[in-house]
Amino acid sequence: MLTCKKSYRDIPFAHRQHLHDGHCALIHGHNWTITLTFACQETDANGFVVDFGKLSYLKDWITAHLDHACLFNEDDPAREPLLATHGALFKAYVLPNCSCEGLAQHLYEVFNPMVRQASNERAWITSVEIEEDSKNSAQFSN
Ligand SMILES: [Zn+2]
């Protein structure tokens, strides 16, 4: 199996962990890095796992859904009342869990089918690493 990686850096968005007993329960932001590891058994005609120049659909998805967004856990009880009264202040993105770990798993589930489709099932994603600023990270691998 061959692999390659691409990173999308310095993407600003916010989140909160409503069950946390500390400051992570407050809405706060980070500059995030998303690193995708792509894999294949057979390269394309250029010898590439994926063509880095043809991944704009991933960048476009990140820009549309995460850039300057506020991520909410789907079971966050404050989400609906907050968005009902102040929705114009948020580009909300809801997912099962917006921790680093939860985001890594979620983005795997979103991006892997996109990569498989774009490559006619020749390539796929094996890992998504999420970095919060420059200090904390988590990874989902399959
Ligand atoms: Zn955080």
Side-chain angles (χ1 to χ4, degrees), residues 49-130:
V49 176
V50 292
D51 186 337
F52 290 133
K54 294 182 178 172
L55 297 175
S56 58
Y57 63 95
L58 296 173
K59 175 67 173 167
D60 291 346
W61 190 97
I62 291 168
T63 299
H65 295 90
L66 299 180
D67 187 37
H68 287 77
C70 185
L71 278 53
F72 294 94
N73 291 344
E74 61 189 9
D75 63 343
D76 184 338
R79 174 174 52 91
E80 285 188 8
L82 179 64
L83 296 178
T85 56
H86 294 87
L89 298 178
F90 293 94
K91 174 180 166 179
Y93 186 78
V94 181
L95 67 162
N97 193 292
C98 61
S99 63
C100 270
E101 294 86 341
L103 185 58
Q105 181 170 1
H106 180 71
L107 292 184
Y108 171 83
E109 291 164 359
V110 171
F111 291 155
N112 185 47
M114 295 168 72
V115 171
R116 285 185 172 277
Q117 182 178 20
S119 68
N120 293 319
E121 300 291 330
R122 188 189 54 76
W124 59 91
I125 289 179
T126 59
S127 171
V128 177
E129 183 179 4
I130 303 293

Side-chain angles (χ1 to χ4, degrees), residues 13-17 23-24 26 28-30 32 98 100 132-133 136:
F13 54 92
H15 71 163
R16 83 180 195 112
Q17 284 299 334
H23 61 190
C24 292
L26 302 173
H28 63 281
H30 303 281
W32 302 75
C98 61
C100 270
E132 274 183 349
D133 302 317
N136 306 322

